[in-house]
Amino acid sequence: VPETDMQTQTDSFADRPSLPLFVPSKSGVDAETQVDVDELFDFDAEVEPILEVLVGKTLEHAMMEVLEEEELSSIREHQSAFEQERNVERAQVQRLEAEAVRRNEERRRRIDQEKDRMEREAQVMDKVAARAFAADFLSDLYEKNFGKGTEAAELIKEVENQFLPWLIESVQQRTSDRLLARSLTDSLVAAALSRRRAQYEARQEEIRAEQERIHQEEERRRMEQEVEEAAAAAAAAAAEGETGEGTDAEGAGEGAAGGAE
C-alpha cells in the first residue's frame, strides 16, 4: 500500500487593535485668566479659626477626661471607704450575734443546771420529809420497845425538833436566793441585749443616711457634668456656625472681586 506524508501550518494570531478614544468636538470659545497665589486663599488667615476650633475641642476633651478620671478616683475612694466600713460593721454584727448566741446558750445551760439542782433539792427535801415522817412514826415504837429517857431518844428528838427544821429552812432560803439571782441575771442580760440592739439599729441608720448622701452627691455631679457638656456643645455649635458664615462671606467677596477683574 503506498503511503504519503503531508503537513500544514496556520498563520500566527494577531491581536485586535484597540479602538481610539472618543473625543467630542469642541464648541464655544476658549478663554483663560490668571489668578495670583494670595488672591483666593490665604493659608495663615484661613487656618487660624480651624486651629482655634481644633485646639479648643482638644483642650475641652482633655479637661473632660481629667474631670472624669478625678470623679472615678473619688468614687473608688468612697467605695473603698464604704466597703471598709461595711466590713467593720459586718464583723461587729457577727461578733454581736456570736455573743448573743453564746449568752443564750449559757442562759439555757444555767437554766438546765438550775432545773437539775431544783429537782435534786426536791428529791432531798422529799427524802428528808420521808425520814422525818419515818422517825416520827417510829418514835413511839422505839419508846415502847426501848423505854423513855434514854440517850438515843433524846438525840432523835433533838434532831427532829432542831436540826430538821433548820435544814429545811436553810434549803428553802438558798433556793429563794438562787431564784432571785437568776431573775436578776436574766433582767441584766435582757437590758444589755436591748441596748446592743438599739446601738446596732442607730448605726445602721447612720450607714443608710451616708449612702443616701453619697448617692445624692453623685447624682448632683452627674447633672452638673451633663449641663457642662450641653453648654460646651452649644458653644462649639455656635463657634462652628460663626466660622461657616465668615467663610461664606469671604468666598462671596472674593467671587465678586474676581468678576470685577
Side-chain angles (χ1 to χ4, degrees):
V1 178
E3 295 181 0
T4 303
D5 295 333
M6 298 181 67
Q7 61 182 359
T8 181
Q9 178 66 38
T10 58
D11 297 334
S12 60
F13 180 76
D15 295 334
R16 184 178 180 181
S18 60
L19 297 174
L21 296 175
F22 174 74
V23 179
S25 60
K26 294 183 179 180
S27 62
V29 180
D30 294 337
E32 61 182 7
T33 183
Q34 179 65 34
V35 180
D36 293 336
V37 178
D38 297 335
E39 288 182 357
L40 296 180
F41 181 75
D42 187 3
F43 180 79
D44 295 335
E46 296 294 336
V47 82
E48 183 176 356
I50 298 175
L51 288 176
E52 289 181 355
V53 173
L54 292 176
V55 172
K57 281 290 184 180
T58 304
L59 292 176
E60 182 182 358
H61 188 68
M63 183 64 69
M64 290 177 61
E65 288 183 353
V66 171
L67 293 175
E68 184 178 359
E69 289 177 357
E70 291 181 355
E71 184 176 1
L72 291 175
S73 178
S74 178
I75 291 173
R76 284 193 293 269
E77 290 178 358
H78 282 291
Q79 185 177 3
S80 178
F82 174 73
E83 289 179 354
Q84 291 179 0
E85 187 175 0
R86 183 182 62 181
N87 293 331
V88 172
E89 292 293 334
R90 184 180 298 173
Q92 186 176 3
V93 169
Q94 292 177 356
R95 183 178 60 80
L96 292 175
E97 290 177 353
E99 185 177 357
V101 170
R102 288 195 300 271
R103 288 182 178 178
N104 291 330
E105 292 178 354
E106 182 68 18
R107 182 171 176 272
R108 286 194 296 269
R109 187 176 63 82
R110 290 182 179 273
I111 289 172
D112 295 337
Q113 290 179 356
E114 186 67 22
K115 289 181 179 179
D116 295 337
R117 187 188 60 80
M118 291 179 66
E119 290 178 357
R120 289 195 299 271
E121 289 182 355
Q123 292 176 1
V124 170
M125 292 179 66
D126 292 338
K127 291 180 180 179
V128 170
R131 290 187 65 181
F133 177 76
D136 188 14
F137 179 75
L138 296 175
S139 61
D140 296 338
L141 180 61
Y142 183 81
E143 290 180 356
K144 289 179 180 178
N145 294 326
F146 297 97
K148 298 181 179 179
T150 61
E151 184 177 356
E154 292 178 357
L155 181 60
I156 291 172
K157 289 183 179 180
E158 184 177 357
V159 169
E160 292 176 352
N161 296 330
Q162 297 181 4
F163 178 73
L164 289 178
W166 172 82
L167 179 61
I168 294 172
E169 184 179 359
S170 299
V171 171
Q172 291 178 352
Q173 183 65 31
R174 292 186 65 182
T175 303
S176 62
D177 292 340
R178 291 190 177 182
L179 291 175
L180 179 61
R182 187 181 65 179
S183 63
L184 291 175
T185 303
D186 293 340
S187 63
L188 290 175
V189 170
L193 290 176
S194 62
R195 184 171 64 256
R196 289 286 187 178
R197 188 180 297 107
Q199 293 177 357
Y200 173 73
E201 292 177 354
R203 188 58 180 170
Q204 290 295 325
E205 187 66 25
E206 291 178 359
I207 292 173
R208 286 194 293 270
E210 182 66 19
Q211 292 177 354
E212 184 67 22
R213 185 186 66 79
I214 293 173
H215 179 70
Q216 293 178 358
E217 184 69 19
E218 292 178 354
E219 187 69 20
R220 183 181 63 80
R221 290 181 179 178
R222 186 180 63 80
M223 293 179 66
E224 289 178 355
Q225 184 177 0
E226 291 179 356
V227 170
E228 290 177 358
E229 291 178 356
E240 290 178 358
E242 292 177 357
T243 304
E245 292 177 358
T247 304
D248 295 339
E250 291 177 359
E254 291 175 357
E261 291 178 357

